[in-house]
Amino acid sequence: MVAESLSEQILRENAAVFEAMVNHRFVEDTVNGRLARPVFERYLVYEGAFVETAISIFAFATAKAPTINQKRWLIAVLDALANQQIAYFERIFAERRIDASAHDVDRPEVEAFRSGMLEIARSGSFLDTVAAMFAAEWMYWTWSKRAALAQIADPHLKEWVDMHVHDDFVAQATWLKQELDLAGETLDASERSRLSAIFARAQELEIAFHDAAYR
């Protein structure tokens, strides 16, 4: 009998919180074509601020990665964040005439997500960051696969969804999963459980973060 991989264990143990996030009101509104413009635009501002933080998160991971191949992969991730995703937000803000300064990116739920994920990367190990970002990226890929099949009238929302089913994003989510599975082959039960708890915490932070777009 093949032993359960670490990512399988994590997803099994956290099925409830993962399902809560991939079926969040924000997701359902996106899929069903009823996401209100103000909600989407608040979300864009909050998410844009987080992507800037993600650069720091992946920079910590790059510094702590044990192999040069892992570092090379993460350097490419950093490049994509800085020169593709940030550029997306800059362009969308301009096209939609969104004044990011008019939104409070320091509100508790938004700041908790940003600072919580950053603290995992700052104080934790390379694998801690992998577990946290696996939570975020596997979640986005999961719900975006469903949303990509829906009729989305807002071209910027459609672009955002499509970005998360693009081959490059899928490769990144899969890489994080593979890194966990490879490491999991030699980790003891307590360390596997600790990484699973990090995944759970990241999902909880994501849920509150997405809630904030409605308030």
Side-chain angles (χ1 to χ4, degrees):
M1 181 177 178
V2 178
E4 184 179 42
S5 72
L6 178 53
S7 66
E8 289 171 342
Q9 176 186 335
I10 287 172
L11 291 168
R12 174 180 56 78
E13 291 178 344
N14 297 291
V17 70
F18 185 76
E19 287 300 313
M21 181 57 244
V22 299
N23 294 295
H24 189 279
R25 178 183 176 187
F26 182 91
V27 175
E28 294 303 311
D29 285 350
T30 298
V31 171
N32 292 296
R34 58 173 185 253
L35 186 67
R37 183 184 181 99
V39 173
F40 180 47
E41 293 187 350
R42 277 194 295 273
Y43 167 82
L44 285 173
V45 174
Y46 299 159
E47 183 67 12
F50 176 73
V51 170
E52 290 190 26
T53 302
I55 293 173
S56 297
I57 290 170
F58 278 108
F60 279 117
T62 304
K64 296 178 182 182
T67 73
I68 189 62
N69 285 337
Q70 290 166 329
K71 291 178 187 294
R72 284 175 176 146
W73 181 275
L74 291 166
I75 289 168
V77 171
L78 288 167
D79 179 69
L81 287 169
N83 296 310
Q84 295 176 29
Q85 284 213 26
I86 292 293
Y88 163 87
F89 290 104
E90 292 170 341
R91 175 171 56 80
I92 299 306
F93 289 175
E95 291 177 3
R96 296 177 80 98
R97 298 184 180 179
I98 297 173
D99 178 7
S101 66
H103 298 269
D104 182 11
V105 296
D106 293 322
R107 60 180 304 167
E109 306 95 326
V110 177
E111 169 57 23
F113 178 54
R114 199 165 62 240
S115 62
M117 296 289 275
L118 182 60
E119 184 55 29
I120 290 169
R122 179 189 290 117
S123 63
S125 68
F126 166 72
L127 284 178
D128 290 4
T129 303
V130 170
M133 295 311 297
F134 173 62
E137 299 194 10
W138 201 257
M139 173 272 291
Y140 267 108
W141 182 38
T142 298
W143 77 255
S144 292
K145 284 187 289 184
R146 179 161 64 102
L149 300 176
Q151 297 296 318
I152 299 177
D154 187 324
H156 294 144
L157 178 56
K158 174 64 173 170
E159 184 180 356
W160 179 246
V161 168
D162 288 346
M163 187 185 303
H164 291 93
V165 293
H166 188 276
D167 288 349
D168 289 345
F169 187 84
V170 176
Q172 169 62 5
T174 302
W175 183 83
L176 292 165
K177 182 179 187 294
Q178 291 171 340
E179 287 295 314
L180 286 174
D181 289 343
L182 181 61
E185 293 175 1
T186 58
L187 296 178
D188 62 24
S190 63
E191 181 64 6
R192 288 168 67 106
S193 293
R194 192 184 67 80
L195 291 169
S196 182
I198 290 174
F199 179 99
R201 177 58 179 155
Q203 290 298 338
E204 291 165 354
L205 290 169
E206 285 276 17
I207 290 170
F209 174 83
H210 282 77
D211 287 345
Y214 286 88
R215 298 171 183 164

